[in-house]
Amino acid sequence: MASIAPETVMPAPPEWRIAPAQVPYAQALATMEARNAAVQAGTARELIWLLEHPPVYTAGTSADPAELIDPRFEVVETGRGGRYTYHGPGQRVGYLVLDLARRGKDVRCFVHAIEGWVIAALARFGVESWRAEGRVGIWTRDIDGAEAKIGAIGVRVRRWVTMHGFSVNLDPDLAHFGGIVPCGIAEYGVTSLARLGLRVSAEEWDAALAATAADFLDALAASANRACR
């Protein structure tokens, strides 16, 4: 008798949560850590959480104190990878608490999939963006023709459950990035959709992410088969 392959059980869709008001960074970090532990324990669903923060500088595990030029806002050590970054009003943050043990144990593919998701969402507004070799994040052409960062990525993985995620500049005060060397890259500037002449609301951006989320989750499924895309 021919053997029957066991049925593949896919994870349930993550919970989507959209914060109606700004969330202080320390509060968001505590929420993520609790959800991370609950997902590990199997007592909570995975989470995709979209929000904004009051102005804050965050330090990743590779942060160089010399790159904190003007600490005009609160500085929080995060435990995520990367260096210094800024969060504030007008910047949309996406936090991902996902179980990579069920979605492919490959952190490189996870970051690659996040980049692809943000690139696809930006394309819905006519913005061409890309990955850059050796520079984590999302890049586009600024109004002066120079390459500039429009989205940042920083993740942490604890027992194969992720934390942190990505941020995209809709219309933040770009002068606030002047207090740090963003992500340790001094040679390139930071831009936003508003600087590029596009007024995109948080609701419109969230809808673009939702419309492209299936491809993001499919990319994670592909990584489970050792095929980043």
Side-chain angles (χ1 to χ4, degrees), residues 22 25 52-60 67-68 70-76 78 80 83-93 95 149-153 166-184 190-192:
Q22 292 176 18
Y25 189 85
E52 291 186 4
H53 291 303
V56 63
Y57 294 132
T58 68
E67 294 169 354
L68 182 61
D70 175 14
R72 68 191 82 166
F73 304 120
E74 179 186 16
V75 180
V76 179
T78 68
R80 62 160 171 78
R83 296 163 93 159
Y84 285 106
T85 193
Y86 165 77
H87 296 307
Q91 181 194 75
R92 206 63 174 157
V93 178
Y95 287 137
K149 177 175 275 193
I150 195 167
I153 294 174
F166 62 90
S167 61
V168 174
N169 299 328
L170 305 184
D171 188 16
D173 185 339
L174 295 178
H176 290 178
F177 286 89
I180 58 172
V181 177
C183 301
V190 177
T191 192
S192 67

Side-chain angles (χ1 to χ4, degrees), residues 106-203:
D106 193 320
V107 177
R108 183 182 66 84
C109 284
F110 175 57
V111 172
H112 188 86
I114 297 172
E115 291 170 338
W117 188 16
V118 174
I119 288 168
L122 287 169
R124 297 180 74 87
F125 301 101
V127 176
E128 182 184 5
S129 59
W130 51 83
R131 303 173 178 90
E133 186 68 29
R135 288 184 269 132
V136 174
I138 307 302
W139 302 82
T140 192
R141 196 68 60 192
D142 206 355
I143 57 174
D144 60 1
E147 197 174 9
K149 177 175 275 193
I150 195 167
I153 294 174
V155 301
R156 182 180 184 184
V157 180
R158 181 187 293 165
R159 296 182 181 174
W160 292 113
V161 177
T162 70
M163 293 174 57
H164 304 281
F166 62 90
S167 61
V168 174
N169 299 328
L170 305 184
D171 188 16
D173 185 339
L174 295 178
H176 290 178
F177 286 89
I180 58 172
V181 177
C183 301
I185 303 173
E187 310 94 285
Y188 298 90
V190 177
T191 192
S192 67
L193 289 174
R195 179 173 164 85
L196 298 178
L198 296 169
R199 295 292 174 180
V200 176
S201 68
E203 293 76 15

Side-chain angles (χ1 to χ4, degrees), residues 201-222:
S201 68
E203 293 76 15
E204 291 170 325
W205 174 252
D206 293 351
L209 285 174
T212 50
D215 287 342
F216 164 65
L217 295 174
D218 285 348
L220 293 185

